[in-house]
Amino acid sequence: MSSTESPDARAVPVVPPGRPSRVAEGEEVRTVTLPGVTLAVRHRRPRRPELPRALFVHGLGGSSQNWSALMDRLAGDVDGEALDLPGFGDSPPPDDGDYSLTGFARVVIRHLDAAGRGPVHLVGNSLGGAVVTRVAAVRPDLVRTLTLVSPALPELRPQRTAVPTGLLAVPGVVSLFARMTKDWTPERRTREVLALCYGDPGRVTPEGFAEAVAEYERRLELPYFWDVMARSARGIVDAYTLGGQHSLWRQAEKVLAPTLLVYGKRDQLVSYRMAARAGKTFRDSRLLTLLESGHVAMMEDPDAVARAFRDLLADTAATAERSATPRG
């Protein structure tokens, strides 16, 4: 396992959780209809044809746009697409109302099977990290490599700063929070999100902040927004309580794919101390530590994450080549 420090902080754009407000240059968003679910899928056009495929899965309250910066930097390395999980971004709620980790994992598997894109380089952040861990454990045929950015794997003693997010799972708390904050301006809501998710909110550009405010306003207009947040948070908590073969840590032990673990030292939602346990659990893993990053390193320091991802791809390809070379 190796550790890499973050370079000096610099201003980077940000898109907070919610409904995508724009499509970046070089991207396109299409609608994918599957049994029981409709997905918005953001595709980054690769710089050359026939690149290996990658799929990116966002965290709680996030959207596919959370991956735009990283997908841009990796456009010469992978044919990347990011999906909006059901109820997030531009994807409507699922027909069955299932916001469990298993439900989300089934959606990812269903999408990969239907699109015929597997095996892919699978990437997830936070909730998405837990989802893709489950996918890699139960469907190893779909996964070439696994990259986890602050994955939401069970912690016995969560950080105090993560407790309010966990409380969203308690019945009635979300509606209470909505009433308590009804007079908050979009600017204040955005600052609260950035302060929680970013190691250094000062890295957000003024243009990025203005865009984030508009995005938050649009998100709050969705009639199902608070319900989806509550049900998805409950799905995470429920997954944390599962034991036996359904335990996330037990499933992490089963992952065969080479795994890149990305943790921010300033993460207020997933404790950095979990990096050591993850490194021991995933059988073929490496660690990228970002000293200045928080919970969304792919947005805070996409260059460092992209470099580590390229190293993972190169090492994996070299290992495969050695294995395919006849001996003697």
Side-chain angles (χ1 to χ4, degrees), residues 93 121 151 159 176 199 228 257 264 272:
H121 298 287
Q159 301 179 98
L176 174 63
V228 170
Y272 175 72

Side-chain angles (χ1 to χ4, degrees), residues 14-319:
V14 59
V15 180
R19 186 176 169 86
S21 60
R22 64 183 176 86
V23 178
E25 184 178 354
E27 290 183 346
E28 58 186 11
V29 177
R30 71 183 189 280
T31 300
V32 175
T33 301
L34 301 169
V37 67
T38 299
L39 301 175
V41 180
R42 183 178 302 269
H43 180 243
R44 177 77 201 191
R45 291 188 290 275
R47 297 197 180 113
R48 62 181 190 274
E50 299 183 3
L51 286 173
R53 294 169 174 174
L55 180 67
F56 301 81
V57 183
H58 64 78
L60 179 66
S63 78
S64 60
Q65 197 168 357
N66 294 157
W67 299 104
S68 289
L70 183 60
M71 288 201 300
D72 174 62
R73 285 154 176 81
L74 295 175
D77 305 282
V78 295
D79 179 355
E81 67 176 23
L83 55 79
D84 289 330
L85 290 171
F88 296 98
D90 275 341
S91 294
D95 291 351
D96 60 5
D98 186 356
Y99 296 98
S100 67
L101 253 66
T102 297
F104 286 141
R106 286 176 181 150
V107 167
V108 172
I109 291 171
R110 200 178 307 162
H111 170 64
L112 289 173
D113 279 340
R117 286 182 62 89
V120 299
H121 298 287
L122 196 54
V123 186
N125 168 237
S126 192
L127 162 66
V131 169
V132 299
T133 295
R134 183 154 289 175
V135 172
V138 301
R139 287 292 304 275
D141 59 302
L142 293 177
V143 185
R144 290 185 185 274
T145 67
L146 187 65
T147 296
L148 305 175
V149 182
S150 296
L153 299 175
E155 299 183 46
L156 292 178
R157 297 185 303 277
Q159 301 179 98
R160 287 187 305 162
T161 47
V163 171
T165 301
L167 288 176
L168 293 176
V170 178
V173 168
V174 165
S175 59
L176 174 63
F177 179 77
R179 292 195 300 271
M180 291 175 60
T181 62
K182 63 183 177 64
D183 295 328
W184 284 17
T185 65
E187 289 80 7
R188 179 178 177 182
R189 292 182 185 275
T190 302
R191 289 192 182 93
E192 294 287 341
V193 170
L194 298 183
L196 183 63
C197 293
Y198 265 60
D200 178 10
R203 302 173 76 181
V204 180
T205 64
E207 295 81 7
F209 181 77
E211 187 176 291
V213 170
E215 187 66 31
Y216 219 135
E217 288 182 294
R218 183 162 38 252
R219 178 181 70 168
L220 290 171
E221 293 175 358
L222 296 172
Y224 51 80
F225 169 72
W226 289 113
D227 182 60
V228 170
M229 287 291 289
R231 290 173 180 265
S232 299
R234 200 168 302 138
I236 297 175
V237 172
D238 288 345
Y240 279 20
T241 64
L242 293 177
Q245 64 179 350
H246 299 295
S247 161
L248 279 169
W249 285 113
R250 181 71 61 84
Q251 291 189 321
E253 294 175 348
K254 298 178 181 178
V255 172
L256 301 175
T259 302
L260 169 63
L261 304 167
V262 182
Y263 284 84
K265 287 281 286 185
R266 295 186 176 184
D267 196 331
Q268 298 181 68
L269 293 171
V270 172
S271 173
Y272 175 72
R273 68 175 180 265
M274 301 307 294
R277 180 174 182 181
K280 295 176 181 177
T281 303
F282 289 91
R283 63 181 68 189
D284 182 5
S285 69
R286 61 184 67 193
L287 172 65
L288 171 66
T289 298
L290 296 173
L291 302 182
E292 304 298 327
S293 291
H295 192 60
V296 286
M298 73 287 187
M299 300 167 71
E300 300 173 80
D301 199 343
D303 291 321
V305 177
R307 286 194 298 270
F309 183 83
R310 290 191 196 98
D311 289 343
L312 175 67
L313 264 59
D315 292 347
T316 302
T319 299

